[in-house]
């Protein structure tokens, strides 16, 4: 069975949430297979040649992003410990 090739373009890099060894969790604006870019929160494996391989993550469309921002703004330091 042939492996499906997924192409992606990081249109804008917003930031890195965390780094662990050769992995990092990033927030980016990504176009998947030439589609309209979406905000994406995803783990990437950082290759020795400075390339990145996308791993598990979540894509967040515009309406969902507004809802997520609202939810996150209500989380306070008591909840986060």
């Amino acid at each position: 069975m042939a492996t499906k090739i997924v192409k992606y373009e990081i249109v804008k890099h917003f930031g890195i949430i965390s780094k662990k060894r050769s992995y990092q969790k990033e927030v980016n604006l990504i176009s998947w297979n030439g589609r309209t870019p979406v905000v994406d929160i995803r783990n990437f494996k950082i290759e020795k040649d400075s390339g990145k391989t996308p791993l598990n993550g979540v894509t967040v469309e515009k309406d969902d992003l507004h809802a997520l921002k609202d939810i996150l703004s209500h989380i306070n330091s008591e909840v986060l410990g």
Side-chain angles (χ1 to χ4, degrees):
M1 185 164 146
T3 302
K4 182 179 178 183
I5 296 175
V6 176
K7 294 182 182 181
Y8 71 96
E9 175 190 0
I10 297 177
V11 177
K12 181 169 177 130
H13 175 75
F14 294 116
I16 296 171
I17 296 172
S18 64
K19 291 182 181 182
K20 295 179 183 171
R21 295 184 208 94
S22 61
Y23 297 90
Q24 61 190 34
K25 189 173 295 175
E26 301 181 9
V27 181
N28 297 299
L29 185 65
I30 295 184
S31 171
W32 294 99
N33 293 322
R35 294 188 188 118
T36 302
V38 291
V39 172
D40 191 85
I41 304 167
R42 181 166 309 275
N43 285 310
F44 284 89
K45 181 171 181 10
I46 307 305
E47 308 295 341
K48 291 180 183 179
D49 64 358
S50 298
K52 296 195 285 190
T53 302
L55 302 171
N56 294 335
V58 170
T59 58
V60 185
E61 305 212 5
K62 189 187 285 186
D63 292 341
D64 295 337
L65 185 61
H66 289 295
L68 178 61
K69 183 178 176 185
D70 186 50
I71 291 166
L72 291 174
S73 72
H74 290 91
I75 296 174
N76 60 35
S77 59
E78 287 178 30
V79 174
L80 298 175

